[in-house]
Amino acid sequence: FYRRLTTHAEVVVCYYAITMEKAYKHTIEVIKDELKKQGMSQRQLALKAGIQPPNLSRVIKGKSAPTVSYLERIATALGRKLQISFVDP
């Protein structure tokens, strides 16, 4: 943001967006690391997860936010379990 945030709602929305962006970036890095560890290509992962390869590519490039359903399918295809938790701020 290039302007000063003036309302509480603007600050909350900005914080949420920054937090989600960090979460997505972390998730993408975990997926990339797993692909590398397993010697699997993005295309192989997409096909194994039942996801169209271009859609997975957009997620990995950070151009599209993955749904929980997508993350579950990706985790399963990687032989992993998806865990979502709530933590104190």
Side-chain angles (χ1 to χ4, degrees):
F1 290 93
Y2 295 102
R3 65 179 178 82
R4 181 181 164 99
L5 301 177
T6 55
T7 68
H8 176 72
E10 286 178 319
V11 171
V12 169
V13 168
C14 179
Y15 175 78
Y16 175 78
I18 290 168
T19 303
M20 292 306 295
E21 182 178 344
K22 286 182 181 179
Y24 290 139
K25 284 182 180 181
H26 175 72
T27 301
I28 291 165
E29 289 307 312
V30 169
I31 293 169
K32 286 179 179 179
D33 288 347
E34 280 299 314
L35 286 172
K36 193 175 194 177
K37 283 181 194 173
Q38 297 186 27
M40 187 184 297
S41 70
Q42 286 183 27
R43 180 173 176 73
Q44 290 169 321
L45 174 60
L47 296 174
K48 192 171 181 181
I51 297 170
Q52 292 294 319
N55 294 342
L56 179 63
S57 178
R58 280 193 291 280
V59 168
I60 291 178
K61 289 178 181 176
K63 295 183 178 186
S64 177
T67 64
V68 172
S69 173
Y70 259 43
L71 292 176
E72 287 176 329
R73 291 159 65 184
I74 290 168
T76 300
L78 290 170
R80 303 295 299 263
K81 181 180 174 189
L82 177 65
Q83 178 179 327
I84 298 173
S85 60
F86 293 93
V87 296
D88 292 328

